């Protein structure tokens, strides 16, 4: 089995996949069937729509698991003139390679990851440069599917006159980066803005791409380059 395939051999990944299958089955064949009857036109339409969201969620989830987040190219050499505040180029003390901006070493993957956001236990993979969009789109589709499933569940419960059926819980996804720099700036009485925060629109297009028609496709990443340099606030000044 390939290295990518082995990522599925993880209890959290299998748990997420099982949960998605359970929510899909119970939403369609239990709650939706009791609410509208799958043989009716409204029931069939809602079943198709929910199945579409479920498929998109599953496809995005697989993309997160299988896509390599990005490693430092063997040919990478830091640009000394670009180094910030005349600092020496940073070198990983574990991989012994120079680290491009926003690159961090993952203790779980045991290598440096380009634009590392965090190591996600639920996909058994890092969220980095090449699968950041897939992760973002997965969260979006999973949220939409969860809301849809909740609507189906509540509608069924109202029709059943509040039968004691227990629903499923939603998971909260969040990011964490730059908190220490923000804390140090606030401590010294200075205002802080993340150096790679280039504005809402450019932040979005840097992840999802310039073509809005491809925003919701997790594998449309032709706009990504090498992942070793990123636009900063200084570029706009």
């Amino acid at each position: 089995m390939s290295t990518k395939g082995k990522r599925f051999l993880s209890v959290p990944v299998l748990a997420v996949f099982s949960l998605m299958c359970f929510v899909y089955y119970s939403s369609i064949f239990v709650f939706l069937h009791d609410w509208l009857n799958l043989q009716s036109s409204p029931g069939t339409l809602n079943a198709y729509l929910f199945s579409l969201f479920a498929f998109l969620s599953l496809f995005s989830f697989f993309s997160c698991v299988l896509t390599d987040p990005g490693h430092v190219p063997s040919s990478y050499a830091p640009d000394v003139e670009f180094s910030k505040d005349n600092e020496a180029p940073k070198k990983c003390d574990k991989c012994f390679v120079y680290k491009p901006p926003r690159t961090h070493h993952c203790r779980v993957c045991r290598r440096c990851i380009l634009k590392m956001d965090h190591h996600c236990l639920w996909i058994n993979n890092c969220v980095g440069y090449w699968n950041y969009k897939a992760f973002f789109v997965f969260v979006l589709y999973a949220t939409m599917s969860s809301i849809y499933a909740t609507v189906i569940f509540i509608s069924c419960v109202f029709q059943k006159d509040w039968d004691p059926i227990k629903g499923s819980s939603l998971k909260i996804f969040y990011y964490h980066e730059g908190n220490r720099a923000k804390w140090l700036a606030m401590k010294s009485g200075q205002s802080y803005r993340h150096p790679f925060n280039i504005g809402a629109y450019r932040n979005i297009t840097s992840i999802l791409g310039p073509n809005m028609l491809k925003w919701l496709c997790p594998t449309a990443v032709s706009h990504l380059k090498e992942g070793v340099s990123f636009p900063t606030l200084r570029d706009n000044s």
Side-chain angles (χ1 to χ4, degrees), residues 88-138:
K90 295 182 179 179
K91 197 170 186 179
C92 181
D93 57 359
K94 298 179 179 64
C95 297
F96 304 105
V97 297
Y98 285 108
K99 298 196 298 183
R102 311 178 79 174
T103 298
H104 300 284
H105 185 88
C106 177
R107 296 181 179 178
V108 180
C109 297
R110 297 181 180 178
R111 62 192 178 107
C112 285
I113 305 296
L114 296 177
K115 194 187 175 184
M116 179 182 175
D117 188 87
H118 67 287
H119 183 90
C120 182
L121 177 70
W122 304 108
I123 63 174
N124 195 23
N125 198 6
C126 275
V127 178
Y129 186 68
W130 287 105
N131 65 349
Y132 194 97
K133 178 181 179 180
F135 184 80
F136 180 87
V137 174
F138 167 63

Side-chain angles (χ1 to χ4, degrees), residues 82 193-203 230-237:
F82 181 76
R193 184 179 177 186
H194 198 287
F196 294 103
N197 182 5
I198 54 178
Y201 178 75
R202 293 185 64 190
N203 283 339
F230 302 90
T232 64
L233 287 171
R234 296 185 178 184
D235 299 331
N236 298 327
S237 60

Side-chain angles (χ1 to χ4, degrees), residues 34-49:
D34 286 348
W35 175 34
L36 296 175
N37 191 338
L38 293 179
Q39 305 301 323
S40 65
S41 297
T44 301
L45 177 61
N46 279 274
Y48 276 125
L49 290 176

Side-chain angles (χ1 to χ4, degrees), residues 41-57:
S41 297
T44 301
L45 177 61
N46 279 274
Y48 276 125
L49 290 176
F50 187 80
S51 297
L52 175 62
F53 284 119
F55 170 77
L56 293 173
S57 299

Side-chain angles (χ1 to χ4, degrees), residues 68-71 73 114-115 129-130 202 205-207 209-210 220-231:
D68 189 283
H71 61 278
L114 296 177
K115 194 187 175 184
Y129 186 68
W130 287 105
R202 293 185 64 190
T205 55
S206 67
I207 297 172
V221 291
S222 60
H223 60 284
L224 298 181
K225 298 179 181 178
E226 294 181 353
V228 297
S229 62
F230 302 90

Side-chain angles (χ1 to χ4, degrees), residues 59-207:
F59 179 71
S60 301
F61 175 69
F62 285 165
S63 297
C64 292
V65 176
L66 295 176
T67 303
D68 189 283
H71 61 278
V72 180
S74 58
S75 60
Y76 172 73
D79 188 350
V80 178
E81 295 181 358
F82 181 76
S83 61
K84 183 174 57 177
D85 299 329
N86 297 322
E87 294 180 356
K90 295 182 179 179
K91 197 170 186 179
C92 181
D93 57 359
K94 298 179 179 64
C95 297
F96 304 105
V97 297
Y98 285 108
K99 298 196 298 183
R102 311 178 79 174
T103 298
H104 300 284
H105 185 88
C106 177
R107 296 181 179 178
V108 180
C109 297
R110 297 181 180 178
R111 62 192 178 107
C112 285
I113 305 296
L114 296 177
K115 194 187 175 184
M116 179 182 175
D117 188 87
H118 67 287
H119 183 90
C120 182
L121 177 70
W122 304 108
I123 63 174
N124 195 23
N125 198 6
C126 275
V127 178
Y129 186 68
W130 287 105
N131 65 349
Y132 194 97
K133 178 181 179 180
F135 184 80
F136 180 87
V137 174
F138 167 63
V139 173
L140 176 63
Y141 285 136
T143 301
M144 296 171 66
S145 301
S146 298
I147 293 174
Y148 202 157
T150 302
V151 171
I152 293 175
F153 168 73
I154 293 177
S155 300
C156 177
V157 169
F158 269 110
Q159 179 174 289
K160 291 292 183 179
D161 194 23
W162 299 100
D163 286 344
I165 305 176
K166 295 184 179 180
S168 59
S169 61
L170 301 177
K171 294 186 177 293
I172 300 175
F173 297 85
Y174 60 94
Y175 297 114
H176 173 78
E177 184 177 324
N179 284 342
R180 176 173 174 78
K182 184 177 180 180
W183 176 77
L184 290 174
M186 293 178 62
K187 186 177 180 181
S188 60
Q190 300 176 354
S191 60
Y192 173 80
R193 184 179 177 186
H194 198 287
F196 294 103
N197 182 5
I198 54 178
Y201 178 75
R202 293 185 64 190
N203 283 339
I204 292 174
T205 55
S206 67
I207 297 172

